[in-house]
Amino acid sequence: MSKCTVVLAYSGGLDTSCILAWLKEEGYDVITYLANIGQDEDFESARKKAETLGATKVFIEDLRAEFVQDFIWPAVQANAVYEDRYLLGTAIARPCIAQRQVEIARQEGAQFVSHGATGKGNDQIRFELTCYALYPEVIAPWRIPKFYNRFRGRTDLMEYAQCHAPGDLYLMTKNPEDSPNARDLLEIEFKKGVPIKVTNMNEGKSVDSPLDIFSYLNEIGGKHGVGRIDIVENRFIGMKSRGIYETPGGTILLQAHLDIETFTMDKEVRKIKQGLGVKFSELVYNGFWYSPECDFVRQCIAKSQENVEGKVQLSVFKGQVYILGRESPKSLYNEELVSMDVQGDYDPCDASGFIRVNAVRLREHHRLQGFFNTKQ
Amino acid sequence: MSKCTVVLAYSGGLDTSCILAWLKEEGYDVITYLANIGQDEDFESARKKAETLGATKVFIEDLRAEFVQDFIWPAVQANAVYEDRYLLGTAIARPCIAQRQVEIARQEGAQFVSHGATGKGNDQIRFELTCYALYPEVIAPWRIPKFYNRFRGRTDLMEYAQCHAPGDLYLMTKNPEDSPNARDLLEIEFKKGVPIKVTNMNEGKSVDSPLDIFSYLNEIGGKHGVGRIDIVENRFIGMKSRGIYETPGGTILLQAHLDIETFTMDKEVRKIKQGLGVKFSELVYNGFWYSPECDFVRQCIAKSQENVEGKVQLSVFKGQVYILGRESPKSLYNEELVSMDVQGDYDPCDASGFIRVNAVRLREHHRLQGFFNTKQ
Amino acid sequence: MSKCTVVLAYSGGLDTSCILAWLKEEGYDVITYLANIGQDEDFESARKKAETLGATKVFIEDLRAEFVQDFIWPAVQANAVYEDRYLLGTAIARPCIAQRQVEIARQEGAQFVSHGATGKGNDQIRFELTCYALYPEVIAPWRIPKFYNRFRGRTDLMEYAQCHAPGDLYLMTKNPEDSPNARDLLEIEFKKGVPIKVTNMNEGKSVDSPLDIFSYLNEIGGKHGVGRIDIVENRFIGMKSRGIYETPGGTILLQAHLDIETFTMDKEVRKIKQGLGVKFSELVYNGFWYSPECDFVRQCIAKSQENVEGKVQLSVFKGQVYILGRESPKSLYNEELVSMDVQGDYDPCDASGFIRVNAVRLREHHRLQGFFNTKQ
Amino acid sequence: MSKCTVVLAYSGGLDTSCILAWLKEEGYDVITYLANIGQDEDFESARKKAETLGATKVFIEDLRAEFVQDFIWPAVQANAVYEDRYLLGTAIARPCIAQRQVEIARQEGAQFVSHGATGKGNDQIRFELTCYALYPEVIAPWRIPKFYNRFRGRTDLMEYAQCHAPGDLYLMTKNPEDSPNARDLLEIEFKKGVPIKVTNMNEGKSVDSPLDIFSYLNEIGGKHGVGRIDIVENRFIGMKSRGIYETPGGTILLQAHLDIETFTMDKEVRKIKQGLGVKFSELVYNGFWYSPECDFVRQCIAKSQENVEGKVQLSVFKGQVYILGRESPKSLYNEELVSMDVQGDYDPCDASGFIRVNAVRLREHHRLQGFFNTKQ
């Protein structure tokens, strides 16, 4: 009798190795799939481990360029930040990884996909909503009592190792206290709201492909300890959890994009787009990348970015990003209009009418409320 | 014939000294009013200058405690930030200054209030909306052609001095590059969303009155170069302008408050309150502190802060604030619930149903859109 | 051995009678609970049926006054409408019914509560979120395969009867085509955003307790065929379903409240409150009445209603409510200010400055976009 | 010496006739411009009057088709309603009229445009923001003391006539009490969120051009007294005013569009789009049709309408619109999924997990708040 096939998102670690072995035991043919989205990993050793454990087939997919361009860039356009602080690094990676896994499952005729995400976290949702949106069936061992009752001890150990070893927590960023005493000066050029070139103004070096730009900003940000946070966050399932994250390149891009966006975007468009960005962040955090609403919001945000273009100069130093200046052919900043010395196309007397009309409502309110009566 | 009386918001500088002289020339009795909201100023020399220039009466009002408690604390509760970056320092000061000026005008029987804010800026609006809301008539010399045509040359000079001397721009904060190489460790205690105690954990020193807390955080933040920004912002009147600001204490408080709030506030309340905070920031920036809507939003935000209580530990170093930990008697963080090792009051299997029901809509969408057809 | 006790929300109908019998079969002691929230029901016959089927105890609770005051009145204050059309009648009843059921369960020492809501609907969620928020365990037979596999046939029949008999669909409202040819004239008086008195201006009759007001408006609205809708709506679980509803009294109150609110509430407060009302409606629809966010929103909305006071005159005729006029001691309508004949405290010339300053941004935009170039 | 030229928006009435005469007196060459947007007007008699009063040139422009397609259709897509009640008829007409006036001014080399809107209303703003966005200078006689001091008496009279003659108020709609006792049955077909065909199911008649559709719905709606409202509204300048409006065709379209939209649009997209629609309505009311933000919002809304397609059946009777049914090739309504009899692609047991996970947060909240302690 022909066995069912599962495509397992495999990391090479203890956790998903257990799952691989267990799925085999349960009678499945297992295809492992490991996505390279830029993490520091020994892919070949993972391949060997998978083969040793009996994987029918091993896929190692380089998704780095796709990840930057199709997933990170829209988040840059959105100024995506969850709950005012979290830059969504992990959250954005999940749909990228899962959509390729679904493609492999379809191509290989697999009946199931599987993953190692646990039953209380966000990643199970991000992973599975993508899968369900795109169709296959999911096996989530950490929600199957037969599996988790057997392996719980092992997890305890791993979790312990993971949570109580703060020295290892940050992989990309230096401790700002140990970071260089000299700053790096960068110029980032944007077009349609995404970076198209980064130049190191000290060294003259520049990069211009999406992947090179993002890698280079991760390198510079990491060197200066940019983008570390220790937060409490609200998971989709309603628990609060503690998160410790590092997003060096993302933090630099967020600051630079905020700056060029405000420089080139109309104030009222910005306000509407800010609301859409908050929505986008929440959707991505909760795993709804492949949803009609996220699609809609992404398209609206992309629309807003048509004139977000120009160069931002900034310095990176001891964990901080300082914006130094900006220029743009699409700038809405009009030096003459705003100048104290020149009147420009603006009559200061108009402000009197503007203020008095804005006050009509306030005067009525205070007339009726008798403000001073209650105050005195 | 009895002359009309004006209460002039007077800084002691060249600008408002011109206005004082000119108002006298125009036949007004001028009462000067200088508010101490914590700025570094020689108040006595300003008093003498005003008297020399012919002020009928001179008021120097210490509003520092009131400013912190009635204006800054609500902004802390709101996580008030305009356009994602500006912490609204100046914007919050205006209604505080203006409301006292109106009280003086009423008490002294003055017919007018006046100020030195220029005709293209935000401050004229913040100032005058407060005045109009609370009733008196305003004289705004920088919008009166007779005045500004005469004094424009002088302004040009002052503005030039002000804008082209970057060395002087930052008054409270050190350059992070020149800041100490050792961090300060602080613990900030909150109750109902406002700080009630700050302890320096290195030195053991602690302060607990609102004014002392805010002054001390400004001092520590300033010493480490925290809270400098160089931004483009959108003025209420629709111009973009460049702003260079420093908010050392405010930046520390924002980070600490964000942290304790997320720790103690329900996720969905937080989301609604975040929207109200954005609205509050916009209202304050635009000068609507004394408006029915700002009053309403402030009351709603205050309501949301009832359980925002606890202690946040943080370090301040080279321009950055790092949250290190938090604790609270009102914490909604449930270690057992979120733990990997313990099931707590949560069955991981429930997540399967949760995810599948969330996917109902997505599956329908993709069934109808034929996602893969269009992709492949 | 002592058996477990269940409190069952019992309607007297076939559906919950099956559940009662089945729960007994399964070994439970069953207490039935039937809430009177104003529906047309033979409560005594339901009591007898429950006793015959072996209920240990029978509770018939008159919640009508509580339902109107604590549940409907906040919805009136919120102008609660889901997806622009549905007035949430059923959705508001669920938490009212469920909270009393939980109280009975606690008082009787029952281990479980149970209900007859089906597995694809909204009511199971509204019911159970209230229960879980307030603690007990729930048995939902329509989600238990053992139950629904056995009883499905019966349901099919009932559902068929329910869905394919349009003549019976509307219980409270007359067909507008058959409604009287003479209108009724009502005056509704509000205080703090809730009705305190309704007077029929034709007959002079008036009522003033919450329950009498709501019943009377249902009677008048029903007589004139007000408040029937046939809609498609989006259930919380992501399905679209068709809903046919009638809300005669609620529709009259919505129109009257909208009117008095706009008359007495500041424009900008109204805008913020409108957003909170949309949120409230969504929360109630989805079953989150007893949630921290719904509680927060309700309190904010109640705050906004402090001056919503006055009288609205309206006519009810052939399915429509026509507002005829309004008056209020807290009116923000200033006849002199808005008059064409009198200048009032407003200088028309100020509008020039107001408009020109509002246009600053637009002119800049069009200067840069070269509007006419692209158009012509 | 060559005189300056003004293009005056001319109605043929007393008001703008005074303005025309006065502008001539002031030394301007006056070109009159009268837009036909479907109002009931004797255009030829207006032309003669203008010529008699000395207009240099007379433009009578048929903008009806353009008005329906470029202005009303986007409002239909948006479900545009201001402050929950006003369908924005007048507000939408202003930018349509003004943009053509600006084109005439440019074509004729005129230096100014002028209009008869008064100094306290919304129309002056709607008119002038369009003009300023598109460039020319405006003369607003009702804000020029020289003009309004002279003509005020006359206005008083007109205003009196206009406001105190309720019999004349409604021009398009019959009094519902006098409307036919037989309903009309219509089917409206939509594509991309705009109507493409209307069929009268009684008579079999159908129309399919935008102008014909809108005219026909105005006729049917008018015949049955649909779309009359008497409201208090908040003007942009902060005053409350009373408005009496009739929008027969717009009311039918709003109901039909709401229905087909909910039928074919994803629930979460709908929620975001609803917020954009509220924003759109406010922008249009305030006169910002030609603004970057309104442009942005319109494009986002249009994007959301791609699948809003299908047919809605409705009846029109005694002032009311009743939706009877709908069908669509893009329907997201899945009869099998929602059915009570068939399980479809949905397992009712999943709802248990869905509900329990949604309750995690609520249980935590109530555990901490000790809900029953405070209640009992």
Side-chain angles (χ1 to χ4, degrees), chain B residues 177-191:
Chain B
E177 303 194 15
D178 306 329
S179 70
N181 287 315
R183 62 187 192 167
D184 269 291
L185 281 177
L186 303 179
E187 181 176 85
I188 306 183
E189 185 173 353
F190 287 88
K191 190 146 195 168

Side-chain angles (χ1 to χ4, degrees), chain B residues 279-294:
Chain B
K279 186 72 199 165
F280 173 81
S281 306
E282 184 195 323
L283 289 170
V284 170
Y285 184 87
N286 288 346
F288 288 90
W289 186 281
Y290 285 107
S291 67
E293 65 273 26
C294 194

Side-chain angles (χ1 to χ4, degrees), chain C residues 257-319:
Chain C
H257 182 266
L258 270 175
D259 197 72
I260 197 69
E261 186 176 87
T262 308
F263 197 52
T264 54
M265 188 181 283
D266 174 80
K267 170 195 174 193
E268 297 297 319
V269 174
R270 192 198 184 289
K271 216 186 288 179
I272 299 165
K273 188 256 167 185
Q274 183 178 351
L276 293 171
V278 170
K279 186 72 200 166
F280 173 80
S281 307
E282 184 195 324
L283 289 170
V284 170
Y285 184 86
N286 288 346
F288 288 91
W289 185 281
Y290 285 107
S291 68
E293 66 273 27
C294 193
D295 204 50
F296 175 57
V297 169
R298 261 197 315 270
Q299 290 184 60
C300 293
I301 290 175
K303 185 92 219 149
S304 76
Q305 301 293 302
E306 281 174 2
N307 291 321
V308 178
E309 178 177 337
K311 295 171 181 168
V312 178
Q313 295 84 35
L314 53 88
S315 76
V316 188
F317 176 68
K318 292 278 178 197

